[in-house]
Amino acid sequence: MANGRSLRRWQWVHTWSSLVCTLFLLILCITGLPLVFHDELDDWLHPSPVAAGVDNVAPEVPITAILERAKERYPDDGFSFLSFPDDEAVVTVGMLAHQGTAQESNHWLKFHPVTGVLLDDPMEHGRRRVEFLDVMLTIHNSLVAGLPGTFVLTVMGLLFVAALVTGVVLYVPFMHRLAFGTVRMARNRRAGWLDLHNLLGIATLAWMAVVGITGVINTLERPLFAVWQARDLQAMLAGTGRSVAQGNACTPERALAVADAGTPAGRRTSVLFPSERAHHPFHYLVWSHGDTLVTKELLSAVLVSADTCTIDARAELPWYLRTLELSRPFHFGNYGGLTLKVLWALMDLVTIMVLVSGLVIWIGKRRGRKEISA
Amino acid sequence: MSPLRGGPAWCAVTTLTGLGVALLGPEVLRLPAVLLVAVPLILIIRHLLRRPPL
């Protein structure tokens, strides 16, 4: 068992690692709550254009026709991606405004997969429409501060993990003479809050650790993909260069057909158009995944030449991106139906209680010390 | 006996088993595995509703 001095050290680390990240974790827990039910809320706010409850329809309209409609609406903008989401019966076209300039920005349009009719364009008067779930997601992902905000959340996540580890170390001596689950709220309020903090914290420790660690991994998504693009993707395309970037002979429609024929086991999810910035200036990057619960998370890609319409390379993702992909369901809790989502929300509420009870204990201790010194 | 035995250990084992089996296990086990994740919540409610010791 830890002696008095080392116990005080663990307590200091636990107090300050949790205090520093408490506000951020409260923000994450509160914004995470509606995000647990993202699909349900989104279905309610934007019902499927094809049929109630239908989330996945293969496009029946030629992709070229959809792209032409997008171009008619934004003649000056370039294409950045096409996506065929699993959870929404639409074809999304990503476009780039002010391409190649400092003001370059992304926007998207959604089209009906069967009729090709424009369903949604969130750009209103040149500015993107603000939606509740998007706001929640932006706060949850980056505190509305872009990549620096995401890195702040990485640090806060690591502090949270430190708080969990030190919390377990402290749980042992504090609960040595008490039975599991004892809450002495009626006898002594301060001890009661500590007991409540201990009970809620230790019972949900495994869930908090899983969600905390996978959350930290998820914050690294952008830098990890950037590393892969700059290193592995470039190496894969080293021998397949082309002299001209303009005047692609292979249309997106043909590139998709070639990619589909080359990956019969996969379901295509998105296509990134040739991009200098993303290190595939002469190739379409076509992403696909499997059909099972696990393989749905594991993406694979083929690089289709925009010049010759042939598959020039197949991208197998490295271990760090596989780890990232597998960490997603463990963070989102979206693989066990509504039952798991409800449990996720309840665990989230318990985590809020753990944070609040921790703050109450700290404030109570400070007050106690002030009273003694007075 | 270590205070980490009993309730805390059960909570951790059921949560991790439930989360892992629900994702990686066969489909027939998905619902039982998801229900295992509820064990810590059930234990919390049980202990909070219990009469305090005299």
Side-chain angles (χ1 to χ4, degrees), chain A residues 29 45 49-50 62 78 130 177 206 245 253 300-301 318 339 349 361-362:
Chain A
C29 287
L45 293 169
V50 179
V130 178
R177 294 203 178 102
E253 186 108 47
S300 58
T339 316
L349 290 171
I361 294 163
W362 182 70

Side-chain angles (χ1 to χ4, degrees), chain A residues 61-312:
Chain A
V61 191
I63 294 299
T64 312
I66 289 178
L67 291 175
E68 275 169 9
R69 278 172 204 170
K71 198 72 180 169
E72 274 169 24
R73 208 170 164 84
Y74 295 100
D76 298 330
D77 295 358
F79 295 114
S80 56
F81 70 86
L82 267 168
S83 109
F84 315 93
D86 288 328
D87 54 0
E88 208 178 358
V90 294
V91 175
T92 310
V93 178
M95 299 193 83
L96 278 175
H98 312 293
Q99 205 171 356
T101 68
Q103 291 85 38
E104 187 175 280
S105 62
N106 274 297
H107 65 101
W108 52 258
L109 302 105
K110 286 182 180 174
F111 290 89
H112 196 292
V114 179
T115 63
V117 168
L118 177 69
L119 294 170
D120 191 16
D121 178 4
M123 294 294 278
E124 286 169 352
H125 313 296
R127 293 191 67 177
R128 206 179 147 179
R129 185 179 67 226
V130 178
E131 290 200 6
F132 172 71
L133 284 173
D134 289 340
V135 174
M136 292 295 111
L137 192 62
T138 312
I139 297 172
H140 196 83
N141 277 346
S142 65
L143 305 168
V144 206
L147 201 56
T150 309
F151 286 139
V152 168
L153 292 179
T154 314
V155 176
M156 293 308 140
L158 290 171
L159 284 174
F160 178 52
V161 174
L164 292 179
V165 172
T166 50
V168 176
V169 174
L170 292 173
Y171 182 85
V172 176
F174 274 95
M175 294 298 289
H176 203 60
R177 294 203 178 102
L178 288 172
F180 169 71
T182 308
V183 180
R184 298 163 291 179
M185 200 60 94
R187 268 204 224 161
N188 178 339
R189 221 160 172 74
R190 199 182 294 173
W193 276 108
L194 179 63
D195 292 344
L196 186 69
H197 184 76
N198 283 338
L199 168 62
L200 300 181
I202 203 73
T204 54
L205 173 80
W207 182 85
M208 288 195 285
V210 168
V211 175
I213 293 166
T214 54
V216 170
I217 296 170
N218 277 319
T219 59
L220 302 173
E221 178 173 349
R222 274 171 69 184
L224 288 180
F225 265 101
V227 166
W228 176 73
Q229 282 174 330
R231 219 179 55 178
D232 298 24
L233 197 58
Q234 234 175 359
M236 264 184 269
L237 295 173
T240 63
R242 240 190 74 188
S243 53
V244 260
Q246 303 301 320
N248 297 329
C250 184
T251 62
E253 186 108 47
R254 282 185 60 205
L256 276 174
V258 168
D260 285 350
T263 48
R267 199 191 96 72
R268 161 239 295 176
T269 61
S270 65
V271 187
L272 303 185
F273 282 66
S275 159
E276 189 92 47
R277 187 182 282 186
H279 303 284
H280 53 97
F282 313 120
H283 290 82
Y284 293 98
L285 186 58
V286 185
W287 291 100
S288 59
H289 62 53
D291 280 331
T292 68
L293 215 50
V294 180
T295 58
K296 240 181 192 176
E297 302 296 333
L298 305 176
L299 292 169
S300 58
V302 289
L303 287 140
V304 181
S305 164
D307 193 23
T308 58
C309 250
T310 51
I311 294 176
D312 277 352

